[in-house]
Amino acid sequence: MTRRDFLVTSAVVGLSTSIQAQGVSIESKELKAVEPIIAAVQQHMFPRESKLPSAKAMNTITFLLETITHSSYDRDIRRFVIEGAQELERRTEGKFLTMDSAEKERVLRSYEETSYGSNWLARIMTLTMEAIFSDPIYGSNIVQEGWKAVESFGGLPRPKQRYIYG
């Protein structure tokens, strides 16, 4: 390898690392900005007065954020979760968080009628249910309330640490 080839290759590798780091930083800021929207959607889907524990009581937003930001999680799905929340915020002109339950229901049903919105809501529902029914070691399903609500228990053997990979 010539000195010139080495310098060009080094510059490209260094630049790509910098671009990736910027992407992660931008994505983290975007995720932080939409966190309240996602939490409000989760709470609307799993409110206090349902048979299952509420999303808020189960700390499902923390579980969702830790899950989708984990190094093993698919980056495209993480991007989809962020962009779906941004789209919901645009559709409501930034008012989703201040809407009452009936307004949120109407907006979410309208969003659900689109293919994109339907897929996004299904993803949020899946991640929220994973939180409610996961082993409590992952920070949700507080005192096994999710399992108790459906008269079940977690699988055996139970995990001894939160994440093996990443």
Side-chain angles (χ1 to χ4, degrees), residues 81-166:
V81 169
I82 293 168
E83 290 173 359
Q86 290 170 334
E87 175 60 21
L88 178 60
E89 186 71 350
R90 274 191 297 278
R91 291 172 68 91
T92 62
E93 299 173 347
K95 298 176 184 168
F96 186 79
L97 296 176
T98 61
M99 293 178 168
D100 65 26
S101 183
E103 291 172 311
K104 286 178 180 174
E105 181 69 19
R106 183 185 52 75
V107 166
L108 291 173
R109 292 293 177 182
S110 174
Y111 195 28
E112 182 183 36
E113 289 176 14
T114 69
S115 176
Y116 188 87
S118 177
N119 289 327
W120 184 78
L121 288 165
R123 176 64 60 185
I124 299 303
M125 174 74 74
T126 299
L127 287 163
T128 306
M129 289 179 69
E130 285 177 5
I132 292 172
F133 298 118
S134 69
D135 192 282
I137 198 170
Y138 296 108
S140 194
N141 192 9
I142 311 300
V143 292
Q144 303 176 11
E145 288 298 318
W147 295 343
K148 291 173 186 173
V150 294
E151 298 177 7
S152 184
F153 57 89
L156 297 174
R158 303 245 330 252
K160 295 182 182 359
Q161 65 187 57
R162 286 178 74 124
Y163 300 104
I164 296 172
Y165 307 105

Coordinates of all heavy atoms in Angstrom, one line a residue, residues 81-166:
V81 N -39.5 4.2 14.9 CA -40.1 4.6 16.1 C -40.0 6.1 16.3 O -41.0 6.8 16.6 CB -39.5 3.8 17.3 CG1 -40.0 4.4 18.7 CG2 -39.9 2.4 17.3
I82 N -38.9 6.7 16.0 CA -38.7 8.1 16.2 C -39.5 8.9 15.2 O -40.2 9.8 15.5 CB -37.2 8.5 16.0 CG1 -36.4 7.9 17.2 CG2 -37.0 10.0 15.9 CD1 -34.8 7.9 17.0
E83 N -39.4 8.5 13.9 CA -40.1 9.2 12.8 C -41.6 9.0 13.0 O -42.3 10.0 12.6 CB -39.6 8.7 11.5 CG -38.2 9.1 11.2 CD -37.6 8.5 9.9 OE1 -38.3 7.7 9.2 OE2 -36.5 8.9 9.6
G84 N -42.1 7.9 13.4 CA -43.5 7.7 13.6 C -44.1 8.7 14.7 O -45.1 9.3 14.5
A85 N -43.3 8.9 15.8 CA -43.7 9.8 16.8 C -43.6 11.3 16.3 O -44.5 12.1 16.6 CB -42.8 9.7 18.0
Q86 N -42.6 11.6 15.5 CA -42.5 12.9 14.9 C -43.7 13.2 14.0 O -44.3 14.3 14.0 CB -41.2 13.0 14.1 CG -40.0 13.1 15.0 CD -38.7 13.0 14.2 OE1 -38.6 12.4 13.1 NE2 -37.6 13.5 14.8
E87 N -44.1 12.1 13.2 CA -45.3 12.3 12.3 C -46.5 12.5 13.1 O -47.4 13.4 12.7 CB -45.4 11.0 11.4 CG -46.6 11.0 10.5 CD -46.7 12.2 9.6 OE1 -45.7 12.8 9.2 OE2 -47.8 12.5 9.1
L88 N -46.7 11.8 14.2 CA -47.9 12.0 15.0 C -47.9 13.4 15.6 O -48.9 14.1 15.6 CB -47.9 11.0 16.2 CG -49.1 11.1 17.2 CD1 -50.4 11.0 16.5 CD2 -48.9 10.1 18.3
E89 N -46.8 13.9 16.0 CA -46.6 15.3 16.5 C -47.0 16.3 15.4 O -47.7 17.3 15.7 CB -45.2 15.5 17.1 CG -45.0 16.8 17.7 CD -45.7 17.0 19.1 OE1 -46.6 16.1 19.4 OE2 -45.5 18.0 19.8
R90 N -46.5 16.0 14.2 CA -46.9 16.9 13.1 C -48.4 16.9 12.8 O -49.0 18.0 12.6 CB -46.1 16.5 11.8 CG -44.7 17.1 11.7 CD -44.1 16.9 10.3 NE -43.9 15.5 10.0 CZ -42.9 14.8 10.3 NH1 -41.9 15.3 11.1 NH2 -42.7 13.5 10.0
R91 N -48.9 15.7 12.8 CA -50.4 15.6 12.5 C -51.2 16.3 13.5 O -52.3 16.8 13.2 CB -50.8 14.1 12.5 CG -50.2 13.3 11.3 CD -50.5 11.8 11.5 NE -51.9 11.5 11.3 CZ -52.5 11.1 10.2 NH1 -51.8 11.1 9.1 NH2 -53.8 10.8 10.2
T92 N -50.7 16.4 14.7 CA -51.5 17.1 15.8 C -51.0 18.6 16.0 O -51.5 19.2 17.0 CB -51.4 16.3 17.1 OG1 -50.1 16.3 17.5 CG2 -52.0 14.9 16.9
E93 N -50.2 19.0 15.1 CA -49.6 20.4 15.2 C -49.0 20.7 16.6 O -49.2 21.8 17.1 CB -50.7 21.4 14.8 CG -51.2 21.2 13.4 CD -52.3 22.1 13.0 OE1 -52.9 22.7 14.0 OE2 -52.6 22.2 11.8
G94 N -48.4 19.7 17.2 CA -47.7 19.8 18.4 C -48.6 19.8 19.7 O -48.2 20.2 20.7
K95 N -49.9 19.4 19.5 CA -50.8 19.5 20.6 C -51.2 18.1 21.2 O -52.0 18.1 22.1 CB -52.1 20.2 20.1 CG -51.9 21.6 19.6 CD -53.1 22.2 19.0 CE -52.8 23.6 18.4 NZ -53.9 24.1 17.6
F96 N -50.6 17.1 20.8 CA -51.0 15.7 21.2 C -50.9 15.6 22.8 O -51.8 15.1 23.4 CB -50.1 14.6 20.6 CG -50.6 13.3 21.0 CD1 -51.7 12.7 20.3 CD2 -50.0 12.5 22.0 CE1 -52.1 11.4 20.7 CE2 -50.4 11.3 22.3 CZ -51.5 10.7 21.7
L97 N -49.9 16.2 23.4 CA -49.7 16.0 24.8 C -50.8 16.8 25.6 O -51.1 16.4 26.8 CB -48.3 16.5 25.2 CG -47.2 15.7 24.7 CD1 -45.8 16.3 25.1 CD2 -47.2 14.2 25.2
T98 N -51.4 17.8 25.0 CA -52.4 18.6 25.8 C -53.8 18.1 25.5 O -54.7 18.7 26.0 CB -52.2 20.1 25.4 OG1 -52.4 20.3 24.0 CG2 -50.9 20.6 25.8
M99 N -54.0 17.2 24.6 CA -55.3 16.7 24.2 C -55.9 15.8 25.4 O -55.1 15.2 26.1 CB -55.2 15.8 23.0 CG -54.9 16.6 21.7 SD -54.8 15.5 20.3 CE -54.7 16.6 19.0
D100 N -57.2 15.9 25.4 CA -57.9 15.0 26.4 C -57.9 13.6 25.8 O -57.6 13.4 24.6 CB -59.2 15.5 26.8 CG -60.3 15.5 25.7 OD1 -60.2 14.8 24.7 OD2 -61.2 16.3 25.8
S101 N -58.4 12.6 26.5 CA -58.4 11.2 26.1 C -59.2 11.0 24.8 O -58.8 10.2 24.0 CB -58.9 10.3 27.2 OG -58.9 9.0 26.9
A102 N -60.4 11.6 24.7 CA -61.2 11.5 23.6 C -60.6 12.0 22.3 O -60.6 11.4 21.2 CB -62.6 12.2 23.8
E103 N -59.9 13.2 22.4 CA -59.2 13.7 21.3 C -58.0 12.8 20.9 O -57.8 12.6 19.7 CB -58.6 15.1 21.6 CG -59.7 16.2 21.8 CD -59.2 17.5 22.3 OE1 -58.4 17.5 23.3 OE2 -59.5 18.5 21.7
K104 N -57.3 12.3 21.9 CA -56.2 11.4 21.6 C -56.7 10.2 20.8 O -56.1 9.7 19.9 CB -55.4 11.0 22.8 CG -54.5 12.1 23.4 CD -53.9 11.7 24.7 CE -53.0 12.8 25.2 NZ -52.4 12.5 26.5
E105 N -57.8 9.6 21.3 CA -58.4 8.4 20.7 C -58.7 8.7 19.2 O -58.4 7.9 18.3 CB -59.6 8.0 21.5 CG -60.3 6.8 20.9 CD -59.5 5.5 21.1 OE1 -58.6 5.4 21.9 OE2 -59.7 4.5 20.4
R106 N -59.3 9.9 19.0 CA -59.7 10.2 17.6 C -58.5 10.4 16.7 O -58.4 9.8 15.6 CB -60.5 11.6 17.6 CG -61.0 12.0 16.3 CD -61.7 13.4 16.3 NE -60.9 14.4 16.9 CZ -59.9 15.0 16.4 NH1 -59.5 14.7 15.2 NH2 -59.2 16.0 17.0
V107 N -57.5 11.0 17.2 CA -56.2 11.3 16.5 C -55.5 9.9 16.2 O -55.1 9.7 15.1 CB -55.3 12.2 17.2 CG1 -53.9 12.2 16.6 CG2 -55.8 13.6 17.2
L108 N -55.4 9.1 17.2 CA -54.7 7.8 17.0 C -55.5 6.9 16.1 O -54.9 6.2 15.3 CB -54.5 7.1 18.4 CG -53.5 7.8 19.3 CD1 -53.5 7.2 20.7 CD2 -52.1 7.8 18.7
R109 N -56.8 6.9 16.1 CA -57.6 6.1 15.2 C -57.4 6.6 13.8 O -57.4 5.8 12.8 CB -59.1 6.1 15.6 CG -59.5 5.4 16.9 CD -59.2 4.0 16.7 NE -59.5 3.3 18.0 CZ -59.3 2.0 18.2 NH1 -58.9 1.2 17.2 NH2 -59.6 1.5 19.4
S110 N -57.3 7.9 13.6 CA -57.1 8.5 12.3 C -55.7 8.1 11.8 O -55.5 7.7 10.6 CB -57.2 10.0 12.4 OG -56.8 10.6 11.1
Y111 N -54.7 8.1 12.7 CA -53.4 7.7 12.3 C -53.3 6.3 12.0 O -52.6 5.8 11.1 CB -52.4 8.1 13.5 CG -51.0 8.1 13.2 CD1 -50.4 8.3 12.0 CD2 -50.1 7.8 14.2 CE1 -49.1 8.4 11.7 CE2 -48.7 7.8 14.0 CZ -48.2 8.1 12.8 OH -46.8 8.1 12.5
E112 N -54.1 5.5 12.7 CA -54.1 4.0 12.5 C -54.7 3.7 11.1 O -54.4 2.6 10.6 CB -55.0 3.4 13.6 CG -55.1 1.9 13.5 CD -56.0 1.3 14.6 OE1 -57.1 2.0 14.9 OE2 -55.7 0.3 15.1
E113 N -55.5 4.6 10.5 CA -56.1 4.3 9.2 C -55.0 4.4 8.1 O -55.3 4.0 7.0 CB -57.2 5.3 9.0 CG -58.5 4.9 9.8 CD -59.6 5.9 9.6 OE1 -59.6 6.7 8.7 OE2 -60.5 5.9 10.5
T114 N -53.9 5.0 8.4 CA -52.8 5.0 7.4 C -51.9 3.8 7.6 O -51.8 3.3 8.7 CB -51.9 6.3 7.5 OG1 -51.2 6.2 8.8 CG2 -52.8 7.6 7.5
S115 N -51.4 3.3 6.5 CA -50.5 2.1 6.6 C -49.3 2.4 7.6 O -49.0 1.6 8.4 CB -50.0 1.8 5.2 OG -49.1 0.7 5.3
Y116 N -48.7 3.6 7.4 CA -47.6 4.0 8.2 C -48.0 4.0 9.7 O -47.3 3.5 10.6 CB -47.0 5.3 7.7 CG -45.7 5.7 8.4 CD1 -44.5 5.3 7.9 CD2 -45.7 6.5 9.5 CE1 -43.3 5.7 8.5 CE2 -44.5 6.9 10.1 CZ -43.3 6.5 9.6 OH -42.1 6.8 10.2
G117 N -49.1 4.8 10.0 CA -49.5 4.9 11.3 C -49.9 3.6 12.0 O -49.6 3.4 13.2
S118 N -50.6 2.8 11.2 CA -51.0 1.4 11.7 C -49.7 0.6 12.1 O -49.7 0.0 13.2 CB -51.8 0.7 10.7 OG -52.1 -0.6 11.1
N119 N -48.7 0.6 11.3 CA -47.5 -0.1 11.6 C -46.8 0.5 12.8 O -46.2 -0.2 13.6 CB -46.6 -0.1 10.4 CG -47.1 -1.0 9.3 OD1 -47.7 -2.1 9.6 ND2 -46.9 -0.7 8.0
W120 N -46.8 1.8 12.9 CA -46.1 2.5 14.0 C -46.8 2.2 15.3 O -46.2 1.8 16.3 CB -46.0 4.0 13.8 CG -45.2 4.7 14.9 CD1 -43.9 4.7 15.0 CD2 -45.8 5.4 16.0 NE1 -43.6 5.4 16.1 CE2 -44.7 5.8 16.8 CE3 -47.1 5.7 16.4 CZ2 -44.9 6.6 17.9 CZ3 -47.2 6.4 17.6 CH2 -46.1 6.8 18.3
L121 N -48.1 2.3 15.3 CA -48.9 2.0 16.5 C -48.7 0.5 16.9 O -48.6 0.2 18.1 CB -50.4 2.3 16.3 CG -50.6 3.9 16.3 CD1 -52.0 4.1 15.7 CD2 -50.5 4.5 17.7
A122 N -48.7 -0.4 16.0 CA -48.4 -1.8 16.3 C -47.1 -2.0 16.9 O -46.9 -2.8 17.9 CB -48.6 -2.6 15.0
R123 N -46.1 -1.3 16.4 CA -44.7 -1.4 17.0 C -44.7 -0.9 18.4 O -44.1 -1.5 19.3 CB -43.7 -0.6 16.1 CG -42.3 -0.6 16.7 CD -41.6 -1.9 16.8 NE -41.5 -2.5 15.4 CZ -41.1 -3.7 15.2 NH1 -40.6 -4.4 16.2 NH2 -41.0 -4.2 14.0
I124 N -45.4 0.3 18.7 CA -45.4 0.8 20.0 C -46.2 -0.1 21.0 O -45.8 -0.4 22.1 CB -46.1 2.2 20.0 CG1 -45.2 3.2 19.2 CG2 -46.2 2.7 21.5 CD1 -43.8 3.4 19.6
M125 N -47.3 -0.7 20.4 CA -48.1 -1.7 21.2 C -47.2 -2.9 21.6 O -47.2 -3.3 22.7 CB -49.3 -2.1 20.4 CG -50.1 -3.2 21.1 SD -51.1 -2.7 22.5 CE -52.4 -1.8 21.7
T126 N -46.4 -3.4 20.6 CA -45.6 -4.6 20.9 C -44.5 -4.3 21.9 O -44.3 -5.0 22.9 CB -44.9 -5.0 19.5 OG1 -46.0 -5.4 18.6 CG2 -44.0 -6.2 19.8
L127 N -43.8 -3.1 21.8 CA -42.8 -2.8 22.7 C -43.4 -2.6 24.1 O -42.8 -2.9 25.1 CB -42.1 -1.5 22.2 CG -41.1 -1.8 21.1 CD1 -40.7 -0.4 20.4 CD2 -39.9 -2.5 21.5
T128 N -44.6 -2.0 24.2 CA -45.2 -1.8 25.5 C -45.6 -3.1 26.1 O -45.4 -3.3 27.3 CB -46.4 -0.8 25.3 OG1 -46.0 0.4 24.6 CG2 -47.0 -0.4 26.6
M129 N -46.2 -4.0 25.3 CA -46.5 -5.3 25.9 C -45.3 -6.1 26.3 O -45.3 -6.8 27.3 CB -47.4 -6.1 24.9 CG -48.8 -5.5 24.7 SD -49.8 -6.3 23.5 CE -50.1 -7.9 24.4
E130 N -44.2 -5.9 25.6 CA -43.0 -6.6 26.0 C -42.6 -6.0 27.4 O -42.1 -6.8 28.2 CB -41.9 -6.3 25.0 CG -42.0 -7.2 23.7 CD -40.9 -6.8 22.7 OE1 -40.0 -6.0 23.0 OE2 -41.0 -7.4 21.6
A131 N -42.7 -4.7 27.5 CA -42.4 -4.1 28.8 C -43.2 -4.7 30.0 O -42.7 -5.1 31.0 CB -42.5 -2.6 28.8
I132 N -44.5 -4.8 29.7 CA -45.4 -5.2 30.8 C -45.2 -6.6 31.1 O -45.4 -7.0 32.3 CB -46.9 -4.9 30.3 CG1 -47.1 -3.4 30.3 CG2 -47.9 -5.6 31.3 CD1 -48.5 -3.0 29.7
F133 N -44.9 -7.5 30.2 CA -44.7 -8.9 30.4 C -43.3 -9.4 30.5 O -43.1 -10.6 30.7 CB -45.6 -9.7 29.4 CG -47.0 -9.4 29.4 CD1 -47.7 -8.8 28.4 CD2 -47.7 -9.7 30.6 CE1 -49.0 -8.5 28.4 CE2 -49.1 -9.4 30.6 CZ -49.7 -8.8 29.6
S134 N -42.3 -8.5 30.4 CA -40.9 -9.0 30.4 C -40.6 -9.3 31.9 O -41.3 -9.0 32.8 CB -40.0 -7.9 29.9 OG -40.0 -6.8 30.8
D135 N -39.4 -9.9 32.0 CA -38.9 -10.2 33.4 C -38.6 -8.9 34.1 O -38.1 -8.0 33.4 CB -37.7 -11.1 33.3 CG -37.3 -11.6 34.7 OD1 -36.7 -10.8 35.5 OD2 -37.6 -12.8 34.9
P136 N -39.0 -8.7 35.3 CA -38.7 -7.5 36.0 C -37.3 -7.0 36.0 O -37.0 -5.8 36.2 CB -39.2 -7.7 37.5 CG -40.3 -8.8 37.3 CD -39.8 -9.6 36.1
I137 N -36.3 -7.9 35.8 CA -34.9 -7.5 35.7 C -34.7 -6.4 34.7 O -33.7 -5.7 34.8 CB -34.0 -8.7 35.5 CG1 -32.6 -8.4 35.9 CG2 -34.1 -9.2 34.0 CD1 -31.7 -9.6 35.9
Y138 N -35.6 -6.3 33.7 CA -35.4 -5.4 32.6 C -36.0 -4.0 32.9 O -36.0 -3.1 32.1 CB -36.0 -5.9 31.3 CG -35.2 -7.1 30.8 CD1 -35.8 -8.4 30.9 CD2 -33.9 -7.1 30.3 CE1 -35.1 -9.5 30.5 CE2 -33.2 -8.2 30.0 CZ -33.8 -9.4 30.1 OH -33.1 -10.5 29.7
G139 N -36.5 -3.8 34.1 CA -36.9 -2.5 34.6 C -38.4 -2.2 34.4 O -38.8 -1.1 34.7
S140 N -39.1 -3.1 34.0 CA -40.6 -3.0 33.8 C -41.2 -4.2 34.5 O -40.6 -4.9 35.2 CB -41.0 -2.9 32.4 OG -42.3 -2.4 32.2
N141 N -42.6 -4.3 34.3 CA -43.3 -5.4 35.0 C -43.0 -5.4 36.5 O -42.6 -6.3 37.1 CB -43.0 -6.8 34.4 CG -43.9 -7.9 34.9 OD1 -44.9 -7.6 35.5 ND2 -43.6 -9.1 34.5
I142 N -43.2 -4.2 37.0 CA -42.8 -3.9 38.4 C -43.6 -4.9 39.4 O -44.8 -5.1 39.2 CB -43.2 -2.4 38.8 CG1 -42.7 -1.4 37.8 CG2 -42.8 -2.1 40.2 CD1 -41.2 -1.4 37.6
V143 N -42.8 -5.5 40.2 CA -43.3 -6.5 41.2 C -44.2 -7.6 40.5 O -45.1 -8.0 41.1 CB -43.9 -6.0 42.5 CG1 -42.8 -5.3 43.3 CG2 -45.1 -5.1 42.2
Q144 N -43.8 -7.8 39.2 CA -44.5 -8.9 38.4 C -46.0 -8.6 38.2 O -46.8 -9.6 38.0 CB -44.3 -10.3 39.1 CG -42.8 -10.6 39.2 CD -42.6 -11.9 39.9 OE1 -43.5 -12.7 40.1 NE2 -41.3 -12.2 40.3
E145 N -46.4 -7.4 38.3 CA -47.8 -7.0 38.2 C -48.4 -7.4 36.8 O -49.6 -7.8 36.7 CB -48.1 -5.5 38.4 CG -47.9 -5.1 39.9 CD -48.9 -5.8 40.8 OE1 -50.1 -6.0 40.4 OE2 -48.5 -6.3 41.9
G146 N -47.6 -7.3 35.7 CA -48.1 -7.8 34.4 C -48.4 -9.2 34.4 O -49.5 -9.7 33.9
W147 N -47.6 -10.0 35.0 CA -47.8 -11.5 35.1 C -49.0 -11.8 35.9 O -49.9 -12.6 35.6 CB -46.6 -12.2 35.6 CG -45.4 -12.1 34.8 CD1 -45.3 -11.8 33.5 CD2 -44.0 -12.4 35.2 NE1 -44.0 -11.8 33.0 CE2 -43.2 -12.2 34.1 CE3 -43.5 -12.8 36.4 CZ2 -41.8 -12.4 34.2 CZ3 -42.1 -13.0 36.5 CH2 -41.3 -12.8 35.4
K148 N -49.1 -11.1 37.0 CA -50.2 -11.3 38.0 C -51.6 -11.0 37.3 O -52.6 -11.7 37.5 CB -50.1 -10.5 39.2 CG -48.9 -11.0 40.1 CD -48.7 -10.0 41.3 CE -47.5 -10.4 42.1 NZ -47.1 -9.4 43.1
A149 N -51.6 -9.9 36.5 CA -52.8 -9.5 35.8 C -53.4 -10.6 34.9 O -54.6 -10.6 34.7 CB -52.6 -8.2 35.0
V150 N -52.5 -11.4 34.3 CA -53.0 -12.5 33.4 C -52.8 -13.8 34.0 O -52.9 -14.9 33.4 CB -52.3 -12.4 32.0 CG1 -52.6 -11.1 31.3 CG2 -50.8 -12.5 32.2
E151 N -52.6 -13.8 35.4 CA -52.4 -15.0 36.1 C -51.4 -16.0 35.5 O -51.7 -17.1 35.2 CB -53.8 -15.7 36.3 CG -54.8 -14.9 37.1 CD -56.2 -15.5 37.2 OE1 -56.4 -16.6 36.8 OE2 -57.0 -14.8 37.8
S152 N -50.2 -15.5 35.3 CA -49.2 -16.2 34.7 C -47.9 -15.9 35.4 O -47.9 -15.3 36.4 CB -49.0 -15.8 33.2 OG -48.0 -16.5 32.5
F153 N -46.8 -16.5 34.9 CA -45.5 -16.2 35.5 C -44.5 -16.2 34.4 O -44.7 -16.8 33.3 CB -45.1 -17.2 36.6 CG -45.2 -18.7 36.1 CD1 -44.1 -19.3 35.6 CD2 -46.4 -19.4 36.2 CE1 -44.1 -20.6 35.1 CE2 -46.4 -20.7 35.7 CZ -45.3 -21.3 35.1
G154 N -43.3 -15.7 34.6 CA -42.3 -15.7 33.6 C -41.7 -17.0 33.4 O -41.9 -18.0 34.1
G155 N -40.9 -17.1 32.3 CA -40.3 -18.4 32.0 C -39.1 -18.7 32.9 O -38.6 -17.8 33.6
L156 N -38.8 -19.9 32.9 CA -37.7 -20.4 33.7 C -36.6 -21.0 32.7 O -37.0 -21.6 31.8 CB -38.1 -21.5 34.7 CG -39.1 -21.0 35.7 CD1 -39.6 -22.1 36.6 CD2 -38.5 -19.9 36.6
P157 N -35.4 -20.8 33.0 CA -34.8 -20.1 34.1 C -34.9 -18.6 33.9 O -35.0 -18.1 32.7 CB -33.3 -20.5 34.1 CG -33.1 -20.8 32.7 CD -34.3 -21.4 32.1
R158 N -35.0 -17.8 34.9 CA -35.1 -16.4 34.8 C -33.8 -15.8 34.5 O -32.7 -16.4 34.9 CB -35.6 -15.8 36.2 CG -37.0 -16.4 36.6 CD -38.1 -15.4 36.6 NE -37.9 -14.1 36.9 CZ -38.3 -13.5 38.1 NH1 -38.8 -14.2 39.1 NH2 -38.1 -12.2 38.2
P159 N -33.7 -14.7 33.8 CA -32.4 -14.1 33.5 C -31.7 -13.6 34.8 O -32.4 -13.2 35.8 CB -32.7 -12.9 32.6 CG -34.2 -12.7 32.8 CD -34.8 -13.9 33.2
K160 N -30.4 -13.6 34.8 CA -29.6 -13.2 36.0 C -29.0 -11.8 35.8 O -28.5 -11.2 36.7 CB -28.6 -14.2 36.3 CG -29.2 -15.6 36.7 CD -28.1 -16.6 37.1 CE -28.5 -17.9 37.5 NZ -29.9 -18.3 37.5
Q161 N -28.9 -11.4 34.5 CA -28.4 -10.1 34.2 C -29.3 -9.5 33.1 O -29.9 -10.2 32.3 CB -26.9 -10.1 33.8 CG -26.6 -10.9 32.6 CD -25.1 -11.0 32.4 OE1 -24.4 -11.5 33.2 NE2 -24.7 -10.5 31.2
R162 N -29.3 -8.2 33.0 CA -30.2 -7.5 32.0 C -29.9 -7.9 30.6 O -30.8 -8.3 29.9 CB -30.1 -6.0 32.2 CG -30.8 -5.6 33.5 CD -30.6 -4.1 33.7 NE -31.5 -3.4 32.8 CZ -32.4 -2.5 33.2 NH1 -32.6 -2.3 34.4 NH2 -33.1 -1.9 32.3
Y163 N -28.7 -7.6 30.1 CA -28.4 -7.9 28.7 C -27.1 -8.6 28.6 O -26.1 -8.2 29.2 CB -28.4 -6.6 27.9 CG -29.7 -5.8 28.0 CD1 -29.8 -4.7 28.7 CD2 -30.8 -6.3 27.2 CE1 -31.0 -4.0 28.8 CE2 -32.0 -5.6 27.3 CZ -32.1 -4.4 28.0 OH -33.3 -3.8 28.1
I164 N -27.1 -9.7 27.8 CA -25.9 -10.4 27.6 C -25.0 -9.8 26.6 O -23.8 -9.7 26.7 CB -26.2 -11.9 27.2 CG1 -26.9 -12.6 28.4 CG2 -24.9 -12.6 26.9 CD1 -27.4 -13.9 28.0
Y165 N -25.6 -9.3 25.5 CA -24.9 -8.7 24.4 C -24.9 -7.2 24.4 O -25.9 -6.6 24.9 CB -25.5 -9.2 23.1 CG -25.6 -10.7 23.0 CD1 -26.8 -11.3 23.1 CD2 -24.5 -11.4 22.8 CE1 -26.9 -12.7 23.0 CE2 -24.5 -12.8 22.7 CZ -25.7 -13.4 22.8 OH -25.8 -14.8 22.8
G166 N -23.9 -6.5 23.9 CA -23.9 -5.1 23.7 C -23.3 -4.4 24.9 O -23.2 -3.3 25.1

